[in-house]
Amino acid sequence: METLPKIYNLRGERGYFRSNNSFFYNGMTKAIINIDRSNIIMKKIQKSLLGLAIGVSMLTAGSAQAAKFPVGGDSKFHWGDLAVFESMDLSGQTVSVFGPWLGPDQKMVESVFQYFEDATGANVDYTGSDSFEQQILIDIEGGSPPNIAIFPQPGLAADMAAKGGLIPLGERTADWVRENYSAGQSWVDLGTYADENGNDQLYGFFFKADVKSLVWYSPENFEDGGYEIPNTMEELIALSDQIVSDGETPWCIGLGSGGATGWPATDWVEDIMLRTQSPSVYDQWVANEIPFNDKRVINAIYTFGSFAKNDAYNDGGAGAVASTDFRDSPDGLFAVPPRCYMHRQASFIPAFFPEDVEIGVDADFFYFPAFAGEDLGKPVLGAGTLWAVAKDSSATAALMHFLKTPLANEVWMAQTGFLSAHLGVNLDAYANDGLRNMGKVLQNATTFRFDASDLMPGAIGAGSFWTGMVDFTSGQSASEVANTIQKSWDAIK
């Protein structure tokens, strides 16, 4: 960790340093029940629940952590990180921060800010809005931006950077992220966008991540069946075949979600793309630099079909996949006798488990493994929130530097709904074993990528990709579906 100079400016002028540098809404668990109202709501909710729901579901009443921990108390925290900030005097300075978090999540982020405020004397003024995406455009284009904007995903930040609305963080920040984050280059890639002149620069610093590459199962059912956690995709497929040979059904898969039906299948395809192709090919696919009907994409869809279109693999048979609501699909894990043994879904899914299910006892998860034969490391599909500077100041730069510290991460880790890619954090600071194990999945990642459908144009990522997956599981071939999706992409160019 580098020593922070006394004076700060993000532009890196002489005497200054270059700052080294998921989304949550109040009531999300209730909101997702009404998911069918629109495709856009569905996608926002699905992303926003990553991490939050698992934390809520795993914490029992009365075990919730306090929002603030006494300085110097619990040894799990890196209290020494405060020393450099305590040497500053930023009294009278205010950092305005605008983001999407409301309710409990606003309190969480404000609990992180409190340590910075107490150490430096600065004031951090956070404003949350469920209309963040619309309002940040108005604020930046109207010449009244916040010091820091917290973006739920990279697309909007890239648009703002191209319009000159954000301040580059500099190569020094990029180097720090590469060295201190798991899959560091992935985070640099995700935060790098073209400026007004078309030159790539780092604008986004990711603080808070979520993971989707998880397979949920019942430890008791696995023990009764004599099954072991697979470490590779080859072993996962072999396990699925073994469960079938034992007269059981390995998978519960459901794509139903009202007007958003199909989105769970896009996650499967994205995870498979990361396990069969390089990150650069994945990025090209997201940008349609390779067509949707490229043979590599068709192969990923086909591979998903080897799970979803296999009658013997699925609770209710392959014909039930498209019609089963995603919220109901994990129920088979907890039936007696079990109707399935595995369910691939993101960290939010415990919000829809039966109320008496205890995470870590009745249900647990393992990493959706990579193919040993592909030599692509351990890719992770997920989401995250990126922090970007829209208006510079000394206190702004200091706050961005504070977010680099293990302590800033640990304060939120010790509460709920937060995963960190920071390699320097103490994993023991996580509030519970479930979050800690998800944190390990993230820290073991060699590649991290955002959900592709979220980064694609809405007509594709929240349109033809969704419907195409329904058509695929209902009988169309991978090639037919890929051709149709590409035609819809061509139509909007």
Side-chain angles (χ1 to χ4, degrees):
M1 186 72 66
E2 66 186 275
T3 301
L4 192 65
K6 290 173 61 178
I7 305 298
Y8 314 90
N9 189 288
L10 287 163
R11 295 186 177 87
E13 297 161 352
R14 184 176 180 182
Y16 300 95
F17 86 113
R18 292 185 186 272
S19 172
N20 286 323
N21 303 343
S22 342
F23 59 19
F24 296 88
Y25 295 116
N26 191 22
M28 267 299 152
T29 301
K30 293 181 180 179
I32 199 167
I33 303 302
N34 298 317
I35 230 165
D36 300 340
R37 290 178 296 174
S38 74
N39 291 351
I40 299 303
I41 290 175
M42 174 57 226
K43 289 303 283 186
K44 287 185 178 180
I45 289 171
Q46 189 252 334
K47 296 300 165 207
S48 68
L49 278 170
L50 297 178
L52 174 61
I54 180 64
V56 172
S57 68
M58 292 192 299
L59 289 173
T60 58
S63 67
Q65 301 279 352
K68 187 176 180 181
F69 307 92
V71 173
D74 197 323
S75 62
K76 294 193 292 289
F77 297 92
H78 282 77
W79 298 117
D81 291 343
L82 289 174
V84 67
F85 299 95
E86 291 171 340
S87 68
M88 304 175 192
D89 183 4
L90 299 176
S91 301
Q93 296 195 44
T94 296
V95 182
S96 58
V97 181
F98 183 38
W101 295 314
L102 295 169
D105 301 293
Q106 177 170 343
K107 292 180 180 178
M108 299 285 186
V109 73
E110 288 175 342
S111 73
V112 175
F113 295 150
Q114 187 67 53
Y115 291 93
F116 174 79
E117 292 176 313
D118 291 346
T120 65
N123 176 60
V124 180
D125 182 13
Y126 173 81
T127 301
S129 173
D130 56 7
S131 299
F132 170 82
E133 289 95 335
Q134 294 77 30
Q135 190 60 46
I136 192 63
L137 288 170
I138 295 171
D139 292 348
I140 290 179
E141 294 178 353
S144 57
N147 293 112
I148 297 172
I150 304 173
F151 292 88
Q153 53 99 346
L156 184 57
D159 291 343
M160 292 296 94
K163 295 177 180 179
L166 302 178
I167 298 173
L169 302 178
E171 189 57 32
R172 185 176 177 181
T173 299
D175 289 341
W176 184 90
V177 172
R178 290 186 188 100
E179 294 173 5
N180 290 278
Y181 272 26
S182 61
Q185 185 59 51
S186 292
W187 296 104
V188 172
D189 293 342
L190 287 166
T192 298
Y193 322 117
D195 62 17
E196 291 176 288
N197 300 314
N199 299 315
D200 286 345
Q201 302 206 55
L202 180 68
Y203 287 97
F205 176 74
F206 284 86
F207 181 81
K208 188 175 183 302
D210 306 300
V211 297
K212 304 189 68 175
S213 302
L214 304 175
V215 178
W216 296 86
Y217 72 104
S218 164
E220 180 179 357
N221 292 343
F222 262 49
E223 182 178 358
D224 290 346
Y227 306 135
E228 297 182 356
I229 303 301
N231 294 312
T232 67
M233 185 63 71
E234 290 88 346
E235 291 180 2
L236 178 62
I237 294 170
L239 172 60
S240 301
D241 291 337
Q242 180 61 52
I243 293 172
V244 171
S245 296
D246 292 342
E248 305 291 344
T249 303
W251 291 94
C252 284
I253 303 175
L255 309 188
S257 186
T261 293
W263 70 259
T266 68
D267 290 353
W268 272 86
V269 173
E270 290 154 2
D271 248 337
I272 292 169
M273 278 291 290
L274 287 173
R275 284 153 179 75
T276 56
Q277 305 301 326
S278 68
S280 61
V281 171
Y282 184 91
D283 295 341
Q284 291 170 339
W285 171 51
V286 168
N288 205 220
E289 293 173 1
I290 61 171
F292 218 102
N293 54 1
D294 182 276
K295 64 180 181 180
R296 293 165 289 189
V297 182
I298 292 173
N299 177 68
I301 298 172
Y302 180 84
T303 301
F304 164 60
S306 69
F307 291 90
K309 298 178 77 168
N310 186 330
D311 279 325
Y313 268 23
N314 288 280
D315 179 28
V321 169
S323 60
T324 299
D325 193 286
F326 84 94
R327 288 155 287 202
D328 300 329
S329 58
D331 288 352
L333 295 173
F334 311 109
V336 180
R339 300 199 313 270
C340 65
Y341 283 76
M342 293 177 287
H343 178 70
R344 186 224 158 274
Q345 190 50 275
S347 55
F348 72 82
I349 198 60
F352 303 104
F353 289 172
E355 291 185 3
D356 60 348
V357 169
E358 182 179 351
I359 304 301
V361 178
D362 305 304
D364 209 338
F365 61 85
F366 58 85
Y367 168 69
F368 187 58
F371 285 97
E374 295 293 345
D375 193 26
L376 289 170
K378 292 186 174 182
V380 169
L381 181 71
T385 49
L386 68 93
W387 299 52
V389 174
K391 184 169 64 176
D392 199 358
S393 75
S394 298
T396 297
L399 177 57
M400 293 295 287
H401 189 79
F402 179 68
L403 297 178
K404 292 190 342 175
T405 66
L407 177 64
N409 290 261
E410 291 159 353
V411 169
W412 202 336
M413 288 163 54
Q415 299 176 72
T416 191
F418 184 96
L419 299 177
S420 177
H422 196 312
L423 293 172
V425 301
N426 183 359
L427 294 175
D428 290 337
Y430 276 112
N432 51 63
D433 289 340
L435 290 170
R436 185 175 302 108
N437 290 334
M438 288 184 190
K440 291 178 181 178
V441 169
L442 184 59
Q443 291 217 345
N444 289 332
T446 56
T447 297
F448 186 92
R449 282 296 185 270
F450 264 61
D451 182 300
S453 60
D454 273 359
L455 303 180
M456 294 173 181
I460 311 303
S464 59
F465 195 1
W466 290 355
T467 57
M469 291 301 95
V470 174
D471 292 339
F472 175 63
T473 56
S474 299
Q476 287 191 17
S477 71
S479 295
E480 289 174 322
V481 167
N483 287 335
T484 299
I485 297 173
Q486 183 56 45
K487 287 179 181 177
S488 69
W489 207 323
D490 292 337
I492 64 172
K493 290 182 178 178

